[in-house]
């Protein structure tokens, strides 16, 4: 009530600035990290299944010359003894075309996995940046003891857990402050009433 009398807009302004805490509290950092890890597993599984179904999912590197991958003993001897004949060259060209086209996955499937892989890397970078910002926030408010010596998974787990605690604390403050603003407004209205009116209102 004292703050309201000196800065009438302060309570409402603070409430508006803290409203995003509700959304933040509904998406705890530990849950986001778990969801991202699960997404990474899904992307890896998709790539694995496509490789099994389509041997040409990852095209082989370009060969220096046709015949590098000769498997037949007679062809090996032919390569060693003399230049490849036109028929052997044609055979390898056709086999190469078959591997690259006939055994390649449908373009939409390949594009889906490539897009998901790129998004996974982007999300990992964003999560790392978010953790840096959260660590800075926790340090600013001197909330919790976090060992910053190890920048590995253990530190990430500490930051995630402390951020969840801190956001829950701020959300609790927001709820209490909203009730306080409501109560102070009600009391302010009652101040202008007579004692009898105030008794009836109460």
């Amino acid at each position: 009530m004292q703050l309201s009398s000196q800065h009438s807009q302060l309570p409402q302004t603070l409430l508006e600035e803290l409203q995003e805490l509700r959304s933040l509290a509904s998406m705890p950092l530990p849950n986001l990290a778990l969801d991202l890890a699960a997404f990474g597993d899904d992307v890896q599984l998709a790539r694995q299944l496509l490789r099994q179904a389509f041997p040409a999912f990852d095209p082989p590197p370009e060969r220096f010359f046709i015949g590098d991958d000769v498997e037949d003993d007679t062809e090996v001897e032919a390569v060693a003894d003399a230049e490849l004949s036109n028929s052997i060259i044609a055979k390898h060209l056709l086999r190469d075309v078959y591997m690259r086209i006939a055994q390649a996955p449908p373009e939409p499937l390949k594009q889906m996995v490539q897009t998901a892989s790129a998004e996974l890397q982007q999300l990992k970078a964003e999560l790392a940046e978010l953790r840096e910002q959260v660590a800075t926030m926790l340090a600013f408010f001197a909330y919790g003891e976090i060992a910053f010596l190890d920048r590995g998974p253990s530190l990430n787990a500490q930051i995630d857990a402390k951020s969840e605690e801190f956001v829950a604390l701020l959300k609790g403050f927001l709820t209490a402050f909203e009730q306080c603003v409501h109560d102070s407004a009600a009391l302010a209205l009652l101040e202008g009433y007579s004692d009898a009116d105030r008794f009836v209102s109460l």
Side-chain angles (χ1 to χ4, degrees):
M1 291 182 69
Q2 292 175 348
L3 286 173
S4 297
S5 64
Q6 298 179 24
H7 306 281
S8 59
Q9 299 302 315
L10 187 145
Q12 189 58 37
T13 299
L14 184 58
L15 288 177
E16 291 173 359
E17 290 180 352
L18 293 180
Q19 282 305 321
E20 291 186 3
L21 280 173
R22 300 199 186 282
S23 297
L24 189 60
S26 68
M27 298 180 292
L29 194 50
N31 290 6
L32 290 177
L34 289 175
D35 289 344
L36 181 55
F39 178 55
D41 292 340
D42 289 343
V43 172
Q44 184 63 27
L45 179 60
R47 295 187 71 90
Q48 179 182 345
L49 292 175
L50 280 179
R51 284 194 185 99
Q52 293 173 357
F54 304 98
F57 175 73
D58 292 314
E62 296 293 338
R63 295 190 295 275
F64 288 102
F65 63 89
I66 299 299
D68 274 355
D69 60 345
V70 175
E71 302 169 357
D72 202 291
D73 288 342
T74 58
E75 290 180 3
V76 171
E77 293 176 2
V79 172
D81 295 338
E83 294 184 358
L84 292 171
S85 67
N86 290 338
S87 62
I88 296 178
I89 292 176
K91 175 183 176 181
H92 283 282
L93 283 174
L94 288 174
R95 185 170 64 181
D96 189 64
V97 169
Y98 173 75
M99 284 295 297
R100 292 175 182 273
I101 298 177
Q103 296 190 21
E107 190 59 31
L109 287 178
K110 184 176 181 180
Q111 185 62 38
M112 178 191 69
V113 173
Q114 290 174 342
T115 301
S117 298
E119 290 179 350
L120 175 62
Q121 296 307 314
Q122 178 65 27
L123 289 171
K124 285 182 177 180
E126 291 178 2
L127 179 61
E129 181 181 354
L130 176 61
R131 282 193 174 118
E132 291 290 339
Q133 295 175 354
V134 169
T136 301
M137 176 192 70
L138 294 174
F140 177 81
F141 287 101
Y143 185 81
E145 295 293 334
I146 298 180
F148 286 94
L149 298 178
D150 178 17
R151 303 297 293 182
S154 61
L155 174 61
N156 292 339
Q158 292 180 61
I159 293 175
D160 294 355
K162 290 300 180 183
S163 69
E164 185 175 17
E165 292 176 7
F166 188 65
V167 169
L169 179 66
L170 289 180
K171 183 183 176 183
F173 167 77
L174 173 60
T175 300
F177 188 69
E178 285 174 332
Q179 185 62 46
C180 177
V181 171
H182 177 270
D183 292 346
S184 64
L187 288 173
L189 288 175
L190 291 177
E191 284 185 345
Y193 292 171
S194 65
D195 290 341
D197 292 335
R198 185 180 297 113
F199 178 79
V200 172
S201 300
L202 291 175

